[in-house]
Amino acid sequence: MPWSLALMQIALGLMLLSGYATIIQNKQPLRPNAFLLLLGLYLLIRFITIYFSPDPARSFRAVYKQDWTLLMLPLLATIEIDSRTIRNAIQTLLISATLVGVYGIVQMFLGVEYIRGKNLAAYGNLFRATGSYSFYLTFAGNQLMFFAFLLGFFLLEKQNKQRRLIQAAMLIILFLSIISTFGRSAWLAIILATGLGTLLVNRRLFGYAMLGISIIVGIAMVISPDIQERIFSIFDMSKNAARLNLWYTSIEMIKANPFTGLGPGLFNKFFEMYKVPGVYDAYGHSHNDYLNIAVNSGIPALLIWLSAWISWFAYTLKRYLSSEGEDKQRLLGSILAITAIGFAAVFQCYYTDLENNIVWLFIAGIALVNKRFQVPGSEL
């Protein structure tokens, strides 16, 4: 990860097969918690909505494509992993994210996606970077989670100055790669993750962090009129009309069938029927993960989904407060990453994008991992 969706799915599939085979071989019982049980109930509701869907086959494909990745969570919550393996996985993930971040920054200035051999969409005198993905918001969502995850390690790294400098350099690259996407939802989520992280670690850092972000934003606006225009567009409702119209249309869809939804994967099919008059630049989904769940599978599915993630935060925060060392860093990074993507999901459908979905759930699963024993070695 994160260079190829196909490789991500293959790696995940192999991990699931190997992991569950190990559990069966060792006769190791699964370790359910409230989060996993609620996700199981969410899946049950999703399958019930398939039955009521006007196109069950299409809805089944949509549920399978989006939700099969949930299978990694019971595995990660059950299997015991030694600290060195956990550390190596995290290092590999973040190094890979940093490399693709460099690639995205180059794309912002040169406007070419060399892997796929295509020109990128211009934004003023710059270009919207897609990294190694096919869409700039996909790139923004994953880089956002990687940034927030690494931030948790950086904020709690107090002993090794060399490691802290390396983490700082990686954070700068990840930050700039998010800027290169011009994805406003990710930009706003950076502020949220930074604010929450500093409040959890050291409240005195909060003011300095917000001042630093303000200075960076100010400099960026002076240097680049394109970034300045994009920031101002956050507060200009006329430039957000297309997204607002998608939200209004989604609400009309939810009103039509609030209990079981219109059917997973059928947003396009019913778009014209419930379309609110106005401008649109896309109509594949709600541009809001929470509205999208309610449209597809009804309000009960949305409420269970939200309850599951509230449970995850309660569980992870409890572990964070009672842990120390690299475990504490790992848990804080997970909290910040899921907070960031959960907030960004108000403005864009990240969970329905499989590249983002896999990273979202993998980072959430990292917080569930049970460490078997401590292996001596250098931490992240």
Side-chain angles (χ1 to χ4, degrees):
M1 294 194 296
W3 294 89
S4 164
L5 175 59
L7 290 177
M8 289 169 75
Q9 293 184 84
I10 292 170
L12 177 56
L14 292 174
M15 185 187 82
L16 292 176
L17 290 173
S18 174
Y20 281 112
T22 300
I23 288 174
I24 294 171
Q25 182 180 4
N26 296 337
K27 298 180 180 179
Q28 190 174 359
L30 294 176
R31 297 173 177 172
N33 53 42
F35 170 59
L36 296 177
L37 292 173
L38 285 167
L39 283 182
L41 181 57
Y42 164 76
L43 277 177
L44 176 61
I45 293 175
R46 289 274 279 171
F47 279 104
I48 290 173
T49 62
I50 292 173
Y51 176 80
F52 290 100
S53 169
D55 190 344
R58 184 173 173 182
S59 292
F60 176 81
R61 288 193 297 270
V63 170
Y64 169 76
K65 180 180 178 181
Q66 179 175 313
D67 291 327
W68 76 272
T69 50
L70 290 171
L71 292 172
M72 78 172 89
L73 295 176
L75 171 64
L76 293 174
T78 300
I79 198 166
E80 294 181 343
I81 307 175
D82 65 78
S83 59
R84 179 175 293 166
T85 300
I86 298 170
R87 189 184 306 125
N88 289 343
I90 292 172
Q91 287 177 337
T92 301
L93 180 69
L94 292 175
I95 290 171
S96 181
T98 304
L99 291 174
V100 79
V102 173
Y103 183 42
I105 296 168
V106 172
Q107 288 177 338
M108 178 173 64
F109 295 102
L110 300 185
V112 180
E113 211 288 71
Y114 294 98
I115 294 176
R116 292 177 175 82
K118 67 176 185 178
N119 294 325
L120 300 174
Y123 198 94
N125 295 317
L126 300 173
F127 300 88
R128 307 193 80 159
T130 62
S132 57
Y133 307 98
S134 59
F135 189 45
Y136 68 92
L137 285 175
T138 302
F139 182 42
N142 276 358
Q143 294 301 97
L144 169 65
M145 287 185 277
F146 298 138
F147 171 86
F149 188 54
L150 179 56
L151 181 64
F153 287 86
F154 175 76
L155 290 173
L156 290 173
E157 182 57 63
K158 298 178 181 179
Q159 296 181 344
N160 192 315
K161 292 184 179 180
Q162 182 180 5
R163 188 181 305 129
R164 190 173 176 84
L165 286 173
I166 293 172
Q167 292 170 349
M170 294 171 70
L171 281 172
I172 291 171
I173 292 172
L174 292 172
F175 175 82
L176 292 175
S177 69
I178 297 168
I179 298 300
S180 74
T181 68
F182 289 88
R184 296 172 300 174
S185 59
W187 289 4
L188 293 172
I190 289 174
I191 300 174
L192 177 63
T194 304
L196 177 61
T198 51
L199 284 174
L200 287 173
V201 174
N202 186 337
R203 293 184 180 181
R204 289 180 297 178
L205 289 176
F206 176 80
Y208 293 114
M210 294 301 101
L211 176 62
I213 288 176
S214 299
I215 292 173
I216 291 171
V217 170
I219 293 173
M221 291 174 66
V222 171
I223 294 175
S224 172
D226 300 320
I227 293 177
Q228 180 184 113
E229 188 277 332
R230 190 62 171 164
I231 291 173
F232 285 151
S233 73
I234 295 173
F235 310 99
D236 187 344
M237 291 302 101
S238 66
K239 295 184 178 180
N240 296 289
R243 185 159 304 182
L244 290 172
N245 288 334
L246 274 173
W247 292 356
Y248 297 144
T249 297
S250 298
I251 291 172
E252 292 302 314
M253 290 178 171
I254 295 168
K255 288 179 180 178
N257 199 336
F259 297 107
T260 59
L262 297 177
L266 300 183
F267 190 96
N268 282 340
K269 180 174 182 178
F270 290 104
F271 175 75
E272 291 295 335
M273 184 182 301
Y274 297 99
K275 177 182 176 182
V276 172
V279 297
Y280 292 86
D281 53 16
Y283 49 87
H285 51 61
S286 301
H287 256 292
N288 176 305
D289 269 313
Y290 309 105
L291 288 177
N292 207 57
I293 291 172
V295 167
N296 288 327
S297 299
I299 293 175
L302 172 60
L303 293 177
I304 295 299
W305 172 257
L306 292 173
S307 299
W309 288 102
I310 290 171
S311 173
W312 181 90
F313 276 108
Y315 174 83
T316 307
L317 185 60
K318 182 179 179 180
R319 292 187 70 180
Y320 165 74
L321 293 174
S322 62
S323 63
E324 58 184 19
E326 60 185 285
D327 283 341
K328 198 175 189 73
Q329 292 177 307
R330 168 170 58 96
L331 292 165
L332 178 60
S334 298
I335 290 170
L336 299 183
I338 301 306
T339 297
I341 197 64
F343 173 78
V346 173
F347 308 100
Q348 164 64 16
C349 284
Y350 288 106
Y351 183 73
T352 55
D353 196 333
L354 197 55
E355 291 98 330
N356 296 146
N357 173 305
I358 292 174
V359 175
W360 182 332
L361 295 180
F362 184 75
I363 290 179
I366 286 175
L368 306 179
V369 163
N370 297 283
K371 188 170 66 175
R372 183 165 69 236
F373 53 82
Q374 181 71 29
V375 173
S378 61
E379 295 93 352
L380 180 68

